[in-house]
Every structure is written in C-alpha cells, then in structure tokens.
Amino acid sequence: MSVRVVIGAQWGDEGKGKIVDLLSNKARFVVRYQGGANAGHTLKFDDKKVVLHLIPSGIFNGDAHCVIGNGVVIDPIALVKEIKGVEELGFSLEGRFFISQTAHVILPYHKLLDQLKEKRRGGDAIGTTGRGIGPAYVSKVSRVGIRMVDLLDKDILRKKIDQNIKDINFALKNLYKEKTLSVDALMDEMDEAINTLSPYICNTTDMLHKALEKGESVLLEGAQGCLLDVDHGTYPYVTSSSPTSGGACTGSGVPPTALTHIMGITKAYCTRVGNGPFPTELDNEKGEELRQKGFEFGATTGRPRRCGWLDLVALKYACRINGINEITLTKMDVMDGFEEIQVCTSYKIDGEETTVFPLSLDEIEKIEPVYTSLSGWDKDITGMTKWDELPENAKEYIYFIEEYLGVKLTIISTGPKRTETIVR
C-alpha cells in the first residue's frame, strides 16, 4: 500500500497539478483534501492546456477514482462548469468521480461577502481571489455551514439558507449598504448545479478506508502551499485551510498512520501571489526575468506573481512541519541562462543571523536574506528526461539543495508537459 501526500512547499503555484497528473496513473484514488476553486492546477498534455480548480488533477491520467474530500469548500456552480469542461475533452467522470457528503458548500452570499470585506479592508486587504473561500470556512467553523449532503434534500437546504440569510441580509443592509438577498433567487441559481452534482455525493471516507484495507494506493492532493497554512503560514496573509500533511488527514479521513510518502513540491525559485511578506522577492529586472521566463501569472486570476530566489530557510521549515521525505523540483528550465544564481541560506533579523523561519509577522517583515551564490549554466535543459543530460552546474544546484535540506530530490521538472520530467 502506498499513501502519498503531495504538498506545495512554498506559497502555492509550485506545479503540483503536473506532478499529481504524472503520479496518478499508479494510484487507485486521487483525493483533493482542502481549499476551494481559487486554486488553479495547470496541466499540459497532448498539446492541450487545462486548468482544474476543484476536480483532482488525476482525472486525465489512468483510471484513478477522483475524490473531492471533506476538507474542500465547493462552489457548486463552478464545479459543474469544470465537469462540463472535462467531459468536452473526452474524459468520462462516470464511476470515477466522487464528492464527500461532508464537504462544505460555497454559496453566492459567501462570494459577495468575500468581495465586500476585501474592499472594506482597503490598503490592509489580504489579497483574496474573492471566490468566497474564507467566508465559507467561517460558516463551517461557526457551525452554520451547509454541506454537500444538504443538497440532496431541497427542503432542508432551503430551511438552512433561510436561517443563514437573515443575519447576512442584516449585514448587507446595515453595514455594507448593499441590496439584500432572497432565498428563492439563491435556490433558483443553485438548481441546475444541485441536480448535476447529486449523483456524485457519497460517503468518501468509508470508500477510502475500504481502499486502504485492500492495500490500494492513494494520492492526496493539496492546494496552495505550506507557507499559506492558516496555522503554520505567514498569518494573517494565509489561506483559510491547512495545505500541510496534517490537513491531508483531516481533509480526507485518511489516518496519519496510513501515510507512507510526503512529497513536497518546490520551484527552483520562489513566487507568491497576493499580499504578505516574501523575504527573497526581487523587485527588479531579475524578478521580472523570472516572471516572464516562468510565465508567472495566476492560473485562476491572471494576476502577475511576485518572484524571487529560492528560499532554503523557508523550505527547510516546510520539510520539518510536514515530515517531507521526498521533493520534486519544478521549473528547473526557467533557471537556464542565469550566469549566477542566488540561494537564500540564512536570515538576518535585527542584525542577528539565523536559519530558523520566524513565526511572528513582525520578525518575518524584518528579514534580510543572506545568499549563497552558485554558478549558472547556459545550456537549454527544457524537455530533458535523463539525469545525465543535465549540465554539471545544474546538478550542483540540485546537490546543494539536497545537502541543505537533508531530503532527496526525486523528480526534476524540465518543462510544463507530463513528458518533460526527470525521475531519479
């Protein structure tokens, strides 16, 4: 039995979708365990480019059963659109796609509240995508959330929406000075999605436990990245869920004792979308070069990503709190042509040097990165599939990362396509 968790080891956008797609042909189940439709996983295969937001990336490779776990918050309307897109590409979801009955629902009022709250914050905005993720998690922990199982009984659903909307309309009218919402309008807006999704809703936790008992392989797929974790990230500039390996268990129902592999995904450099601290950010021509060469624009929003050198202090922190025992290095090809590559190996905070990632926002914002310089390479490595093909300096870059982290880099991505990969 193999149970592998695939985790973003930075601030998200590390290329998890490609790696899950690559690994899924050997998995019986691929499970998305947290987050919402704000996360876009971009896949390239057969000269097609596909962006998935909720459906696990394994839907396109092999015959794995794809599950949206209980830790995900689901926008039903967005999910139906995504299902139609997958079917239009010629892939059937029948008998392969399942939705946890205890996953929570993003309703239209969550998206409206998300956008209004960000607007009200002004210069202190978190930088959310406005897709209702945070407010849906607030409803969940406030114990007023609506779950996918509630969609199976429209009378129960209407009653729960009616209860919630009274407080929401009070806030819309008195705080935000916006028009109030109607239960009838919300139910009408949701009707097609409810009818489409109902056949997929089931007890996925029981399904996964039966798979574990049979010794079948399971791949747990996270969204965003470790440094955006609500507990372990750069709070408050974080997501509203737990992208870490702990979140993989709570968001799927798979017990910690079942996990066999924790794979961290990291780019050969760093990026971040939205607001918040970013110690190695390059607000100069080097940063722009990384952005353009790496096509660093959000898969969901199109927002340009902030770019910087690889931060090994932050990456080692991610390895520790997740128990990462294997690493995939993506976008190695983007580093082609740099005469010198900088890697952050320690921080200075108030004049004191440290290799410990701080947890206080005040300290994080004071970080002065200390870099180690490595020689670059001028050979185009795009599409390489064998370790021996890599230039010596590219190998040295990988060895340096491995030695610092004490973790093996098992997969090197040399391009966006499934085939552009070195497996060591």
Side-chain angles (χ1 to χ4, degrees), residues 309-345:
W309 297 121
L310 182 61
D311 185 340
L312 289 182
V313 180
L315 189 53
K316 188 157 191 172
Y317 168 70
C319 289
R320 285 175 168 175
I321 65 172
N322 288 288
I324 289 172
N325 52 24
E326 54 182 0
I327 289 177
T328 288
L329 188 70
T330 61
K331 294 205 170 185
M332 185 67 171
D333 51 302
V334 175
M335 308 309 289
D336 293 350
F338 284 99
E339 185 176 335
E340 181 183 53
I341 299 172
Q342 303 269 48
V343 182
C344 176
T345 50

Side-chain angles (χ1 to χ4, degrees), residues 255-271:
T257 50
L259 304 185
T260 57
H261 300 77
I262 315 292
M263 175 177 279
I265 314 294
T266 177
K267 286 176 181 170
Y269 52 100
C270 278
T271 64

Side-chain angles (χ1 to χ4, degrees), residues 137 223 348 391:
Y137 278 114
K348 276 191 177 179

